[in-house]
Amino acid sequence: MREISVELITDTIAQMCIEANCCLNEDVHTALERAKQKESSPIGKEILCQLTENADIALQKNMPICQDTGMAIVFLEIGQEVHITGGLLEDAVNEGVRKGYEKGYLRKSVVEDPFLRVNTKDNTPAILYTKIVAGDNIDITVAPKGFGSENMSRVYMLKPSDGIEGAKKAILETVEQAGANPCPPMVVGVGCGGSFEYSAYLAKKALLRPIGSHSDKKHIREMEQELLQKMNDTGIGPQGLGGNTTVLGVNIESYATHIAGMPIAINISCHVTRHCHKVI
Amino acid sequence: MNVSVPFTAEQAKKLKAGDVVNISGVIYTARDAAHKRMLEEYDKTGKFPFDIYNQIVYYAGPAPAKPNEVIGSVGPTTSYRMDVYSPVLLRFGLRGMIGKGIRNNEVIQAMKQYTGVYFGATGGAGALLAKHIESVEVIAYEDLGAEAIRKLVVKDFPVIVIIDSEGNNLYETEPIKYRK
Ligand code: SF4
């Protein structure tokens, strides 16, 4: 048994909230740079230049890349040899979010009830997913998620007979209908299979994978490549003002499902797709 | 092209979809919650918390300012959530709106009828846009936090005319040019 204190978890998460929000991930930065070279719309190119300049200012001033510093989505993979000491895990995570959002001058965007809508003023609670794995470490991912893009996401409960073509159609239609709203260029996370809620979880997990990485299943990889091309052929372009950079990456995760169903979840994200990863 | 606020209907008519514009002067931030309250306040008192005639509203809620900074990151939020409120404000003389994303037909009709302009600022470029803000003052609904109404003095704030007062709309005209 290895002991890990709740203080360590709290401090690590606080730091990660700040880092995730202020330093654009390398893969997104590279994808934006590459898109600048390829974009044929002059306005589109100008916007892509603004986006990399914006990320550079954020890094240099240690300020958030985007004012929507999101809801904090936290994934923990906890080694089963770990004993957490000094308090409750969930409290430690929320305390980390509270501290990070305060110390990092991040925006507090969480309301305590979907109908009453009173701001909790510290960006808690976080959305927390835990998984028990082998080993004696805790693997932490903090992925702040903005809602301009989150609001464009969907779950489809397709029929098995809809097949892979039906799935592609649903994914493409979700991106087309999102249009200018999620601050394109977007990053698209897709979860195929599982159950209603698990497909959505997979779609969120898919967004954690680096842009440009591909599934090791051949049919899924081909689907990712084909969809990326088709999405960029929609013409939506940067900020929806036309161009060939609509999407920076399409990541698809898949899982076993029931004989009667084919859930497909699409989680739309933006050019400020954030995640920070650490192992303690 | 430069625009200084307040600006009149005559000036607004000269702006065409696709114009790249730098705005200087005063603009006011308001998101969904502030819009809702503004209209409730008008119903009760017959007044808005600031004079909206010939002014520009910016759909934004900034991140907190660090010490020694004027403001935190402050990019636009998605505009369609304000669609239910905008026609009324346009009727009372609001001249411009800055946001991102599509507007519905009612808003576009009201823009044509009352001469309004919809500008787009680059979504997610909050750190860059913050550099164009010279001062900030919360003028209403402080309890709403990031969603309070703020008076911003801006200099060369970079935007693009997305929908002009004749209803020309870049979201309709541009993507099809690049569609394959
Ligand atoms: S969609 Fe992304 S880039 Fe746009 S405002 Fe939201 S978090 Fe920021």
Side-chain angles (χ1 to χ4, degrees):
Chain A
M1 268 296 169
R2 178 178 161 224
E3 295 206 336
I4 296 182
S5 70
V6 288
E7 282 86 20
L8 180 62
I9 297 170
T10 294
D11 291 346
T12 308
I13 287 180
Q15 192 47 43
M16 290 171 79
C17 289
I18 301 173
E19 205 178 312
N21 271 299
C22 302
C23 324
L24 188 65
N25 291 76
E26 196 56 44
D27 59 330
V28 184
H29 215 290
T30 311
L32 285 172
E33 288 293 349
R34 204 167 289 153
K36 272 201 240 174
Q37 310 304 324
K38 285 201 292 193
E39 179 55 63
S40 57
S41 144
I43 287 190
K45 205 175 193 129
E46 166 63 26
I47 288 165
L48 294 170
C49 291
Q50 284 187 6
L51 297 183
T52 49
E53 189 190 344
N54 180 68
D56 296 342
I57 296 171
L59 185 68
Q60 180 207 335
K61 291 192 160 187
N62 198 29
M63 75 194 278
I65 308 158
C66 178
Q67 76 290 335
D68 186 353
T69 50
M71 228 178 153
I73 321 281
V74 179
F75 298 87
L76 297 181
E77 292 192 1
I78 305 166
Q80 62 181 8
E81 307 301 328
V82 172
H83 179 211
I84 294 164
T85 58
L88 294 176
L89 176 66
E90 198 173 326
D91 294 347
V93 169
N94 282 324
E95 187 55 27
V97 170
R98 192 173 288 125
K99 273 195 177 164
Y101 274 71
E102 194 53 44
K103 211 174 129 213
Y105 294 88
L106 307 178
R107 198 180 76 183
K108 325 298 183 286
S109 314
V110 174
V111 292
E112 72 182 27
D113 179 285
F115 305 113
L116 305 176
R117 308 204 71 84
V118 178
N119 197 303
T120 61
K121 297 214 158 72
D122 59 7
N123 222 51
T124 67
I127 308 267
L128 174 60
Y129 296 104
T130 52
K131 190 173 169 187
I132 306 295
V133 297
D136 60 0
N137 294 322
I138 303 181
D139 184 304
I140 309 176
T141 302
V142 175
K145 185 67 172 71
F147 262 53
S149 50
E150 192 75 354
N151 282 338
M152 298 296 118
S153 308
R154 288 184 183 174
V155 177
Y156 290 80
M157 299 305 285
L158 297 182
K159 301 186 293 296
S161 62
D162 292 323
I164 204 159
E165 291 307 316
K168 286 188 217 160
K169 187 167 157 267
I171 299 163
L172 198 57
E173 133 189 313
T174 302
V175 165
E176 291 202 73
Q177 294 191 6
N181 293 334
C183 298
M186 313 173 210
V187 179
V188 182
V190 181
C192 302
S195 49
F196 173 73
E197 85 294 352
Y198 198 70
S199 64
Y201 168 77
L202 286 176
K204 182 71 80 206
K205 285 281 271 193
L207 288 174
L208 304 180
R209 243 174 55 200
I211 292 171
S213 68
H214 281 293
S215 167
D216 35 9
K217 296 175 193 157
K218 182 165 171 281
H219 64 298
I220 302 288
R221 183 167 64 239
E222 285 169 359
M223 200 173 160
E224 289 173 336
Q225 286 158 341
E226 181 185 334
L227 283 169
L228 178 67
Q229 186 61 45
K230 287 204 165 132
M231 286 168 187
N232 285 330
D233 286 348
T234 59
I236 294 170
Q239 299 294 307
L241 296 175
N244 39 33
T245 316
T246 302
V247 162
L248 297 174
V250 183
N251 293 347
I252 305 179
E253 293 289 318
S254 63
Y255 192 73
T257 191
H258 188 275
I259 47 172
M262 198 172 77
I264 304 289
I266 302 107
N267 196 189
I268 301 289
S269 188
C270 51
H271 63 88
V272 191
T273 293
R274 294 155 279 203
H275 40 87
C276 183
H277 176 239
K278 281 200 167 75
V279 179
I280 56 172
Chain B
M1 194 181 289
N2 295 317
V3 164
S4 51
V5 214
F7 71 126
T8 63
E10 281 312 304
Q11 289 167 301
K13 275 189 189 140
K14 294 198 188 112
L15 296 173
K16 299 291 172 223
D19 287 349
V20 177
V21 174
N22 288 323
I23 296 176
S24 299
V26 169
I27 62 177
Y28 295 89
T29 66
R31 295 170 47 102
D32 337 23
H35 273 77
K36 184 162 180 272
R37 275 221 208 154
M38 266 165 75
L39 293 182
E40 284 165 3
E41 183 173 333
Y42 188 84
D43 279 346
K44 267 193 233 132
T45 67
K47 280 202 307 224
F48 290 113
F50 63 97
D51 183 7
I52 65 171
Y53 191 70
N54 284 345
Q55 300 294 338
I56 293 179
V57 166
Y58 180 26
Y59 303 145
K66 286 192 165 178
N68 306 322
E69 297 281 352
V70 175
I71 197 165
S73 283
V74 60
T77 193
T78 319
S79 306
Y80 71 85
R81 298 194 317 270
M82 269 55 75
D83 282 358
V84 284
Y85 310 111
S86 301
V88 185
L89 298 181
L90 287 160
R91 179 151 62 87
F92 285 108
L94 181 72
R95 203 57 66 210
M97 301 159 285
I98 308 173
K100 62 162 171 115
I102 50 167
R103 308 308 307 263
N104 70 13
N105 202 33
E106 280 84 74
V107 177
I108 298 174
Q109 288 313 318
M111 287 170 57
K112 284 160 79 172
Q113 191 172 351
Y114 307 110
T115 318
V117 182
Y118 175 52
F119 302 97
T122 299
L128 178 93
L129 292 167
K131 284 178 80 172
H132 295 272
I133 294 168
E134 294 183 329
S135 73
V136 183
E137 184 194 344
V138 173
I139 58 153
Y141 318 143
E142 190 156 13
D143 60 298
L144 293 179
E147 295 207 64
I149 297 184
R150 288 172 170 79
K151 179 178 172 179
L152 310 180
V153 177
V154 299
K155 178 118 194 353
D156 297 331
F157 191 82
V159 294
I160 297 172
V161 178
I162 296 196
I163 308 176
D164 62 28
S165 60
E166 289 169 0
N168 300 308
N169 183 349
L170 291 191
Y171 294 141
E172 305 273 328
T173 58
E174 296 312 295
I176 45 169
K177 293 183 189 164
Y178 297 90
R179 200 177 174 96
K180 288 189 188 140

